[in-house]
Each structure stands twice: as structure tokens, then as C-alpha cells.
Amino acid sequence: MKWIEANPEAHAEEFEAKQKEIEAAFNPVITRIYQQTGGAPEGGMPGGMPGGFPGGFPGGAGGAGPTGGAGPRVDEVD
């Protein structure tokens, strides 16, 4: 954060290079934490989405397939 505040005029390439530098330093730490705790948590929201996610995500687990489900159907898109 300090680097960003100290370099407000930096170009996108400089931000990307700094991001890669930070990722190179932290990825081994995060990987080790995941290995020690049994892996990354399932889903994205701890405890799941309140009330579930109606229909799930396309191609994801827990939802109706492309032809299933009782929801509305879109036959034509303008």
C-alpha cells in the first residue's frame, strides 16, 4: 500500500511488476497455510450464501443444468 501511495504516477506495467513481486513473496506462504489447514475453503462465502443461490451458477455445482430448472427461459435476446 505504501508503494502505491508513493508512486501515484506509475504506469500499469510498473503496478503489474510490483504485484508479481509481492505474489512471488506471498504465494509460498499462502500455499503452505493451505497445505497445513487442508486446502482452500469450499465456495467463496464462509457458511455459504444465506438462503442459497437460486439456480446455482452456470456450470457450477448445486444449480440446475442448462435445460433443467423451473425458472423462466429466454428464447430470444435482442
Side-chain angles (χ1 to χ4, degrees):
M1 192 67 163
K2 289 180 183 180
W3 185 88
I4 293 173
E5 291 172 356
N7 298 283
E9 302 296 321
H11 294 280
E13 294 83 20
E14 294 173 279
F15 284 112
E16 290 169 3
K18 192 60 156 175
Q19 179 181 357
K20 288 182 189 282
E21 179 184 326
I22 292 169
E23 287 174 351
F26 282 94
N27 279 345
V29 175
I30 299 300
T31 299
R32 190 169 192 195
I33 291 170
Y34 283 156
Q35 288 171 344
Q36 290 176 350
T37 60
E42 293 283 329
M45 186 172 201
M49 178 75 86
F53 191 84
F57 290 103
T67 58
R73 236 179 66 184
V74 177
D75 294 323
E76 185 179 315
V77 178
D78 291 15

